[in-house]
């Protein structure tokens, strides 16, 4: 019989995946979900993200992925309960200070390590929240890895023209391929031509990097709309800004009741608000200057118009 890796223990029984593309508003919505009374502070765990990607590309076995990811999420939750490896940086949007939970985790730094922490975790069964990027279309692999845990997906959508424009404006092509501070996985067949893992589908297309990304944005949103998993909450960013309480009520059914911190964050983020600063027509003009492929232009235009029709 073939030897397999196994993780028999479970601490992180409940896992929330908060996914979206770059610039969709995860850093605003994530802390608000974290503030609900059955949630821990949200984390960006590169190990979990990379395990799912490796599994998708058949670079790791399923038993190994389950064992490593199982250990990692349990370790993440255990460490949160004793204030270990918690981000207290002032200017990070992923920090407990930004999320208004610094007092909670400061107190935990004084707790003693031990079995009593495991008992406390199992008694409360809180949600471990993981912030992921571009991973929703790999949901079937996430489900395979965490087959014995309660999974809830929260995915965030935004007008595709805004996402594409912001991605180009923030120069992500340069960051992914040339900046050592970018820690996302890339692919290569010849050690020269790099490709972002989430753009591999378009590898053989005669398009620029940003044109491939634009097609990915459109495909991602199509998947979002038809991802009919019972524990999937699709959040429209533009609607959330105008009416956050509509979504908070949905979150409360899954993640626990809102707290004082929830209300503090709504005030901090100036929510609700109607003055979302975006000019779609202006963004169209900008995007169509760097998108040359006619077919891609048509896809972007139609996707943005459809998005506005359904969500505005």
């Amino acid at each position: 019989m073939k030897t397999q890796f196994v993780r028999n223990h479970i601490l992180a029984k409940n896992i929330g995946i908060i996914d979206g593309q770059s610039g969709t508003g995860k850093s605003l919505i994530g802390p608000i979900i974290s503030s609900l009374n059955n949630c821990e502070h949200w984390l960006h765990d590169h190990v979990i993200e990379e395990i799912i990607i490796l599994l998708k590309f058949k670079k790791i076995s399923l038993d190994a992925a389950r064992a490593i990811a199982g250990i990692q999420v349990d370790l993440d939750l255990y460490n949160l309960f004793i204030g270990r490896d918690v981000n207290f940086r002032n200017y990070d949007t992923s920090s407990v200070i930004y999320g208004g939970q610094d007092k909670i985790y400061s107190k935990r730094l004084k707790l003693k390590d031990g079995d009593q922490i495991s008992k406390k975790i199992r008694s409360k069964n809180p949600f471990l929240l993981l912030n992921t990027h571009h991973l929703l279309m790999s949901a079937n692999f996430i489900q395979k890895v965490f087959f014995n845990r309660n999974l809830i997906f929260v995915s965030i959508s935004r007008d595709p023209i805004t996402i594409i424009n912001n991605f180009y404006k923030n120069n992500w092509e340069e960051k992914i391929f040339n900046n050592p501070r970018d820690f996302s996985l890339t692919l290569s067949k010849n050690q020269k031509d790099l490709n972002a893992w989430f753009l591999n589908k378009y590898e053989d297309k005669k398009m620029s990097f940003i044109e491939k990304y634009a097609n990915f944005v459109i495909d991602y949103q199509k998947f979002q709309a038809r991802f009919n998993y019972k524990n999937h909450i699709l959040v429209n960013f533009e609607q959330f800004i105008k009416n956050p309480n509509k979504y908070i009520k949905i979150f409360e059914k899954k993640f626990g009741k809102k707290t004082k911190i929830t209300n503090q964050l709504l005030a901090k983020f100036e929510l609700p608000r109607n003055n979302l600063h975006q000019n779609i027509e202006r963004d169209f003009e900008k995007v169509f200057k760097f998108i040359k492929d006619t077919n891609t232009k048509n896809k972007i235009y139609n996707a943005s118009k459809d998005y506005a029709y359904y969500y505005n």
Side-chain angles (χ1 to χ4, degrees), residues 33-46:
I33 299 175
S34 289
S35 73
L36 303 180
N37 71 355
N38 199 34
C39 288
E40 290 298 309
H41 177 68
W42 72 321
L43 302 174
H44 181 199
D45 188 326
H46 278 275

Side-chain angles (χ1 to χ4, degrees), residues 58-71:
K58 300 179 180 179
K59 296 296 184 180
I60 188 173
S61 65
L62 179 58
D63 65 296
R66 284 175 172 170
I68 298 169
I71 290 170

Side-chain angles (χ1 to χ4, degrees), residues 41-42 87-100:
H41 177 68
W42 72 321
N87 185 354
F88 284 94
R89 286 178 53 81
N90 275 310
Y91 302 109
D92 286 3
T93 56
S94 59
S95 79
V96 290
I97 295 174
Y98 180 83

Side-chain angles (χ1 to χ4, degrees), residues 149-262:
R149 312 198 187 216
N150 177 38
L151 268 179
I152 295 179
F153 291 89
V154 177
S155 69
I156 305 167
S157 67
R158 194 169 185 175
D159 194 303
I161 199 74
T162 304
I163 298 173
I164 295 164
N165 186 48
N166 288 341
F167 193 85
Y168 181 81
K169 185 170 64 176
N170 290 322
N171 201 17
W172 275 103
E173 181 177 6
E174 172 66 22
K175 290 178 183 177
I176 289 171
F177 296 134
N178 297 313
N179 192 330
R181 290 195 306 109
D182 183 81
F183 303 107
S184 53
L185 285 174
T186 51
L187 302 171
S188 175
K189 287 185 176 179
N190 55 19
Q191 298 299 316
K192 291 182 180 180
D193 298 324
L194 289 178
N195 197 18
W197 73 266
F198 50 89
L199 299 183
N200 188 61
K201 173 183 174 181
Y202 316 98
E203 179 186 26
D204 297 325
K205 304 289 185 183
K206 293 182 179 179
M207 300 177 184
S208 66
F209 178 84
I210 191 62
E211 287 170 345
K212 291 177 183 178
Y213 184 75
N215 278 274
F216 170 70
V217 168
I218 294 165
D219 288 343
Y220 180 98
Q221 292 197 342
K222 286 179 181 176
F223 182 88
Q224 256 185 325
R226 67 174 186 263
F227 183 46
N228 198 25
Y229 181 61
K230 64 177 181 178
N231 282 338
H232 175 221
I233 302 171
L234 174 54
V235 180
N236 170 264
F237 178 77
E238 290 86 352
Q239 286 184 355
F240 185 89
I241 291 296
K242 293 176 183 178
N243 188 5
N245 286 315
K246 169 190 169 183
Y247 285 102
I248 289 173
K249 288 177 182 177
I250 297 171
F251 295 151
E252 284 184 300
K253 292 177 182 178
K254 300 288 187 181
F255 299 113
K257 297 296 182 183
K258 69 178 182 179
T259 63
K260 289 182 180 179
I261 296 174
T262 312

